[in-house]
């Protein structure tokens, strides 16, 4: 029987190891090492756990096993022929688990995402023409024989697809002796990126940043640099030089990007610089490709890995550089399972591995900006656009004075500017961070509003899908023609705009223009998105209508006009980071304009032109924005001048959730450096039928908040039944 490991004074003659299993457990388990098996920390092993065999990692030698358990321990079943997890990755697992209060096994699971496919790759079957055609020669068989007439080895599945036949046709030809089956050789590894290939000509201003990047990568010790460049300044090309230096030194580089920014455009830019595309890591990869890439990374055969936040936990053989692109992006926060922020944990991994890290952004997060101002991070600035292009001119359209026509959402001035842009054969972008057709549907007769049946949220009208959808739980229903409350017919009306409704309005205003909606719910895969972005880049679209998907590092050569339809949208949700997020998002969106030719112009439709964020955007005064935001954070002791944690208690009924939250708060340890706020109903009080109460914990910056929470939860009430407690250290969402 396996047991949680625990040190004891007596030593056993048989060797023992403690292993960590990638499941929701925090402790290691002790196992005996069979004679003749050589094991060390980091080795991947198979062990029996209960009735099944599981993958595990040797975490430590158990020098003092409990002698009473000696005869009850099970043996390690096998040692896997896979490179061991290095000490720096195991330290990262321990650090992240300790900081986030996540189970160590769940953090380890992120390192072994392809555990079920590890090991030697299964040989693929190929077929070759070796014999005479069979007596019975059907049209399908003839197509296969003609395709294989070169008598070379071809993949069986590829032949079936190209000849338009079923695998059974090929199997029949094998039985007849016409074809033979052989194992296909494994695909050759892709060629390595060439640091001398496609070196660009840099401007004198970029040259200073390039020299700093190369020096950073060549130094090879822990160092954090903020690559702070305006949109279109060539940040990507500049940090590529740090990557090139790491390649020259034989080190691996990890480039983290928000998932939806992993576009073909970026991969093409990489190929133009290094001659080949990098190895990718994101959720769209097939299981076999993920397993193959995981193996290449662990064996040191992948010099550069570009991936979403989960790439942070991959087992790099010799990591020498980390780059976090768009470091301010909210997508770096993982909000389910282990709650971690990939940017912050990337800095931790760089510190543990003693390697440099580059954080790149045109609109740094307030935390990163403060670290740069205090000298903790080196700032490498690119204050001007590449090629002498000007930054976009920004104007506010005061909707109180220049409102759109009734039932419309594009103001007359913005409509006129879009018309002019189209006549000049330029592109226009309409930005609205709201998916679907309309955020609310109500009945004109009785006022009934369509709400989710299991969430505290309105249903969003999606006309393309003809459904009303909840964006929190995924519940959807067909759009009815009759009000379910008063039975009135054709009385339902859409309230407010979404991107689908904007496209309808744009089609009415500009009937000759070609428009495209870019929204996460309409894009089924990264490949679909890449193809649509290519259409835009090639000029086959006149008006782009998009959500925050369009803000992520895309380059549209003909785009010179950006209209933000509702600039106030992000400022009205009570989020302490609302001003920062709005500033970043609108800066990034407007920064898509005028990157290659002409002068870009951005229009902000707003009811609050006097708001500090709007004034800073119009004046292009980032210093004013950061100064006011940093002063407010310092005064209120919000991050980075204080620490925050969020505890969400949820249950199937309201009294259970509220009662548990109140008992939990009553047992909070008293400490003058800590404020416990709540419990209060969460802003989204019900999600998926679960009632939610939130407790916010606030402390001084230097206080060990994780340890405080751990001690508190140890003495607090235990969750039972359908009660659930989620702990989020450094929360980014306040819903």
């Amino acid at each position: 029987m396996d047991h949680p490991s625990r040190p004891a004074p007596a030593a056993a003659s048989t060797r023992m190891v403690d292993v960590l299993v990638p499941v929701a457990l925090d402790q290691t388990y002790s196992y005996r090492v069979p004679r003749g098996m050589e094991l060390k920390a980091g080795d991947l092993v198979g062990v029996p756990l209960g009735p099944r065999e599981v993958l595990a990692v040797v975490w430590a030698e158990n020098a003092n096993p409990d002698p009473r358990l000696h005869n009850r321990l099970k043996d390690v079943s096998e040692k896997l022929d896979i490179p061991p997890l290095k000490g720096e990755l195991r330290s990262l697992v321990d650090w992240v688990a300790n900081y986030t209060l996540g189970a160590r096994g769940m953090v380890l699971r992120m390192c072994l995402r392809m555990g079920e496919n590890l090991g030697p790759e299964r040989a693929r079957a190929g077929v070759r023409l070796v014999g005479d055609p069979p007596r019975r020669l059907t049209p399908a068989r003839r197509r296969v024989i003609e395709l294989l007439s070169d008598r070379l080895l071809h993949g069986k599945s590829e032949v079936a697809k190209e000849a338009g036949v079923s695998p059974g046709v090929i199997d029949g030809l094998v039985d007849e002796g016409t074809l033979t089956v052989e194992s296909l050789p494994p695909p050759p590894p892709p060629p390595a990126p060439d640091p001398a290939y496609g070196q660009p000509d840099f401007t004198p201003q970029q040259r200073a940043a390039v020299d700093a990047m190369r020096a950073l990568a060549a130094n090879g010790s822990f160092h954090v640099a903020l690559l702070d460049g305006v949109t279109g300044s060539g940040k990507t090309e500049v940090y590529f030089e740090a990557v090139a230096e790491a390649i020259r030194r034989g080190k691996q580089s990890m480039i983290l990007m928000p998932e939806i920014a992993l576009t073909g455009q970026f991969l093409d830019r990489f190929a133009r610089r290094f001659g080949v595309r990098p190895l990718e890591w994101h959720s769209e990869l097939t299981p076999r490709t993920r397993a193959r890439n995981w193996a290449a990374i662990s064996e040191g055969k992948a010099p550069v890995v570009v991936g979403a936040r989960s790439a942070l936990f991959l087992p790099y053989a010799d990591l020498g550089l980390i780059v976090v692109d768009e470091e301010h992006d909210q997508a770096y926060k993982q909000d389910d399972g282990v709650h971690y922020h990939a940017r912050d944990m990337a800095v931790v991994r760089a510190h543990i591995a003693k390697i440099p890290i580059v954080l790149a952004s045109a609109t740094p997060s307030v935390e990163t900006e403060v670290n740069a101002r205090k000298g903790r991070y080196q700032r490498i600035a690119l204050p001007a656009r590449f090629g002498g292009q000007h930054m976009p001119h920004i104007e506010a359209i005061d909707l109180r004075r220049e409102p759109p026509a009734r039932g419309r959402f594009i103001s007359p001035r913005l409509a006129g500017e879009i018309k002019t842009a189209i006549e000049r054969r330029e592109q226009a972008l309409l930005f609205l961070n709201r998916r679907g057709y309309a955020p609310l549907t109500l009945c004109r007769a009785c006022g009934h509003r369509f709400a989710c049946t299991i969430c505290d949220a309105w249903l969003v009208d999606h006309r393309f899908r003809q459904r009303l959808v909840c964006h929190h739980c995924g519940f959807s229903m067909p759009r009815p023609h009759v009000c379910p409350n008063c039975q009135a017919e054709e009385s339902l009306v859409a309230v407010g705009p979404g991107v689908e409704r904007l496209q309808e309005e744009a089609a009415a205003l500009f009937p000759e223009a070609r428009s495209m909606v870019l929204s996460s719910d309409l894009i089924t895969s990264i490949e679909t998105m890449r193809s649509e972005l290519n259409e835009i880049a090639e000029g086959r679209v006149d008006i782009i209508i998009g959500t925050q998907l369009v803000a992520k590092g895309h380059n549209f050569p003909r785009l010179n006009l950006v209209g933000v339809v509702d600039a106030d949208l992000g400022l009205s949700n009570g989020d302490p980071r609302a001003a920062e997020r709005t500033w970043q998002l609108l800066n990034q969106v407007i920064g898509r304009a005028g990157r290659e030719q002409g002068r870009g112009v951005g229009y902000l439709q707003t009811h609050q032109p006097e708001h500090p964020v709007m004034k800073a955007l119009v004046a292009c005064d980032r210093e004013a924005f950061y100064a006011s935001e940093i002063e407010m954070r310092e005064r209120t002791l919000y991050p980075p001048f204080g620490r925050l944690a969020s505890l969400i208690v949820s249950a199937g009924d309201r009294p259970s959730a509220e009662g548990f939250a109140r008992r939990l708060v009553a047992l909070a340890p008293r400490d003058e450096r800590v404020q416990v706020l709540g419990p209060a109903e969460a802003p989204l009080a019900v999600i998926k039928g679960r009632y939610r109460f939130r407790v916010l914990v606030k402390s001084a910056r230097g206080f060990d908040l994780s340890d405080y929470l751990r001690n508190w939860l140890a003495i607090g009430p235990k969750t039972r039944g359908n009660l659930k407690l989620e702990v989020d250290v450094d929360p980014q969402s306040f819903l």
Side-chain angles (χ1 to χ4, degrees):
M1 173 176 182
D2 40 272
H3 282 274
S5 55
R6 58 184 104 166
S13 57
T14 307
R15 190 175 164 219
M16 309 281 181
V17 290
D18 295 336
V19 307
L20 188 61
V21 183
V23 295
L25 296 167
D26 202 45
Q27 76 264 25
T28 56
Y29 285 84
S30 298
Y31 286 86
R32 285 186 309 222
V33 180
R35 289 187 188 282
M37 184 182 286
E38 290 296 323
L39 285 183
K40 60 183 183 302
D43 283 339
L44 278 78
V45 294
V47 296
L49 185 70
R52 60 200 178 104
E53 188 83 9
V54 297
L55 177 75
V57 177
V58 177
W59 219 245
E61 189 85 23
N62 187 338
N64 298 301
D66 187 336
R68 293 168 299 175
L69 298 178
H70 176 67
N71 292 322
R72 298 166 62 193
L73 293 179
K74 291 181 179 178
D75 286 353
V76 172
S77 305
E78 62 173 329
K79 176 185 174 183
L80 303 179
D81 186 20
I82 293 167
L85 297 194
K86 295 181 69 177
E88 59 103 348
L89 183 53
R90 301 197 309 277
S91 296
L92 180 71
V93 169
D94 287 336
W95 203 99
V96 171
N98 181 64
Y99 186 82
T100 64
L101 274 68
R104 273 194 300 172
M106 293 303 286
V107 183
L108 176 64
R109 190 175 179 181
M110 295 191 289
C111 306
L112 304 174
R113 290 291 291 274
M114 293 318 299
E116 68 276 17
N117 285 308
L118 293 176
E121 189 165 345
R122 191 179 69 246
R124 290 175 61 234
V127 288
R128 189 197 301 273
L129 180 63
V130 291
D132 296 326
R135 285 183 191 164
R136 195 171 67 83
L137 194 59
T138 63
R141 286 180 163 188
R142 184 177 286 112
R143 289 198 302 274
V144 172
I145 291 169
E146 286 172 0
L147 195 63
L148 295 172
S149 59
D150 57 10
R151 295 188 178 263
L152 297 176
L153 189 62
H154 294 259
K156 181 179 174 182
S157 55
E158 286 82 357
V159 170
K161 187 175 179 183
E162 202 170 332
V165 302
S166 69
V169 173
I170 296 172
D171 292 338
L173 287 169
V174 171
D175 293 342
E176 295 272 4
T178 305
L179 306 182
T180 184
V181 178
E182 300 174 25
S183 292
L184 281 169
D194 179 2
Y197 185 97
Q199 295 190 47
D201 293 324
F202 292 107
T203 64
Q205 205 165 47
Q206 287 177 320
R207 176 62 57 190
V210 165
D211 291 344
M213 284 286 113
R214 288 176 180 159
L216 177 91
N219 185 289
S221 59
F222 173 67
H223 185 77
V224 187
L226 165 62
L227 182 56
D228 182 0
V230 297
T231 53
S233 59
K235 289 186 296 298
T236 304
E237 283 71 17
V238 168
Y239 74 61
F240 277 170
E241 295 312 301
V243 173
E245 185 61 34
I247 294 169
R248 289 187 196 100
R249 293 168 56 81
K251 300 285 187 180
Q252 290 174 295
S253 297
M254 175 208 317
I255 302 175
L256 293 183
M257 306 187 79
E259 177 132 5
I260 56 178
L262 284 169
T263 62
Q265 263 185 8
F266 175 84
L267 300 172
D268 290 342
R269 285 165 83 178
F270 187 95
R272 283 196 297 273
R273 173 61 184 87
F274 294 104
V276 294
R277 285 189 165 203
L279 186 140
E280 295 179 60
W281 186 268
H282 52 75
S283 60
E284 294 285 325
L285 299 178
T286 65
R288 190 66 256 178
T289 302
R290 286 169 75 84
R292 189 181 295 143
N293 289 1
W294 192 96
I297 291 163
S298 67
E299 292 163 9
K301 295 176 183 174
V304 183
V305 178
V306 177
R309 60 177 179 250
S310 57
L312 174 65
F313 294 96
L314 291 170
Y316 299 89
D318 193 6
L319 188 59
L321 174 71
I322 300 174
V323 177
V324 183
D325 203 354
E326 309 285 5
E327 65 83 27
H328 63 277
D329 199 286
Q330 203 177 338
Y332 284 125
K333 178 72 180 190
Q334 168 100 5
D335 280 324
D336 53 10
V338 180
H339 294 251
Y340 71 93
H341 197 298
R343 177 200 62 220
D344 298 344
M345 297 307 110
V347 173
V348 171
R349 180 158 195 179
H351 184 265
I352 291 170
K354 299 181 175 58
I355 59 172
I357 178 169
V358 177
L359 309 178
S361 178
T363 52
S365 63
V366 171
E367 286 87 345
T368 299
E369 177 67 21
V370 168
N371 278 326
R373 290 185 179 206
K374 290 184 177 295
R376 298 187 193 108
Y377 295 175
Q378 175 190 4
R379 189 193 302 271
I380 300 170
L382 290 169
R385 282 191 155 181
F386 180 73
Q389 288 297 111
H390 293 287
M391 291 299 292
H393 170 71
I394 302 174
E395 291 183 25
I397 297 176
D398 188 343
L399 293 177
R400 298 169 302 185
R401 296 177 182 170
E402 302 179 69
R406 185 176 176 81
R408 300 278 189 173
F409 304 95
I410 300 171
S411 66
R413 176 146 60 112
L414 180 55
E417 295 295 340
I418 294 170
K419 184 172 184 290
T420 304
I422 294 170
E423 287 168 354
R424 288 201 300 251
R425 301 186 64 77
E426 295 175 351
Q427 289 171 319
L429 166 63
L430 285 172
F431 173 76
L432 177 64
N433 203 19
R434 195 181 261 156
R435 293 176 284 158
Y437 183 84
L440 174 64
T441 301
L442 59 75
C443 172
R444 272 183 297 221
C446 69
H448 173 74
R449 298 181 174 204
F450 285 81
C452 179
T453 56
I454 51 175
C455 293
D456 187 15
W458 307 121
L459 294 179
V460 177
D461 186 350
H462 283 254
R463 289 286 165 92
F464 289 173
R465 291 156 59 185
Q466 289 295 307
R467 297 189 77 79
L468 301 179
V469 181
C470 174
H471 284 173
H472 299 285
C473 72
F475 167 82
S476 72
M477 60 180 279
R479 192 175 189 277
H481 300 290
V482 175
C483 173
N485 188 53
C486 70
Q487 310 308 313
E489 294 187 14
E490 304 302 330
S491 65
L492 305 184
V493 61
V495 179
V499 282
E500 293 175 20
R501 192 170 194 176
L502 271 190
Q503 186 182 38
E504 188 177 273
E505 185 174 340
L509 288 169
F510 317 106
E512 303 302 315
R514 297 158 299 177
S515 65
M516 177 184 283
V517 174
L518 283 180
S519 174
S520 57
D521 57 303
L522 298 175
I523 289 176
T524 51
S525 70
I526 283 182
E527 286 310 315
T528 308
M529 183 174 71
R530 288 175 182 172
S531 134
E532 295 192 344
L533 290 171
N534 283 340
E535 278 190 58
I536 296 168
E538 290 163 9
R540 286 184 269 158
V541 176
D542 301 309
I543 302 174
I544 307 144
I545 299 159
T547 61
Q548 65 182 10
L549 195 69
V550 299
K552 315 280 183 175
H554 311 308
N555 191 28
F556 305 136
R558 286 177 47 211
L559 177 64
N560 281 337
L561 171 67
V562 173
V564 178
V565 174
D566 186 351
D568 308 326
L569 187 59
L571 295 172
S572 56
N573 58 12
D575 184 338
R577 299 181 191 272
E580 177 189 6
R581 290 218 177 105
T582 301
W583 158 264
Q584 288 165 342
L585 186 56
L586 299 188
N587 245 310
Q588 294 279 339
V589 169
I590 294 170
R592 300 307 104 206
R595 291 165 74 94
E596 291 204 6
Q597 53 194 349
R599 178 77 189 266
V601 184
Y603 292 95
L604 303 172
Q605 292 193 162
T606 174
H607 288 92
Q608 310 175 65
E610 68 289 340
H611 192 286
V613 170
M614 300 305 153
K615 287 168 74 174
L617 283 165
V618 170
C620 295
D621 190 350
R622 66 176 264 163
E623 184 57 39
F625 167 73
Y626 280 116
S628 67
E629 189 67 13
I630 289 170
E631 188 275 328
M632 184 277 291
R633 299 269 188 102
E634 196 164 15
R635 180 166 32 86
T636 55
L637 292 181
Y638 270 98
F641 302 99
R643 302 279 316 280
L644 273 183
S646 168
L647 281 66
I648 296 283
V649 176
S650 65
D653 63 279
R654 193 179 190 281
S656 296
E658 185 175 13
F660 183 92
R662 292 196 180 283
R663 291 196 302 278
L664 182 67
V665 168
L667 291 169
R670 297 281 176 261
D671 192 312
E672 60 185 19
R673 296 165 294 176
V674 180
Q675 272 183 289
V676 177
L677 309 170
E681 209 168 45
L684 271 172
V686 187
I687 294 183
K688 296 183 182 178
R690 296 184 65 81
Y691 292 79
R692 306 166 74 242
F693 278 78
R694 185 180 69 185
V695 179
L696 269 181
V697 187
K698 196 174 169 189
S699 76
R701 182 177 180 275
F703 183 75
D704 189 344
L705 187 56
S706 299
D707 190 56
Y708 173 86
L709 292 170
R710 194 175 295 104
N711 293 333
W712 177 10
L713 297 182
I715 61 170
K718 302 298 175 262
T719 55
R720 290 186 179 83
N722 70 357
L723 268 164
K724 188 176 178 186
L725 171 62
E726 280 189 74
V727 180
D728 186 358
V729 179
D730 302 335
Q732 296 290 308
S733 169
F734 289 85
L735 295 177

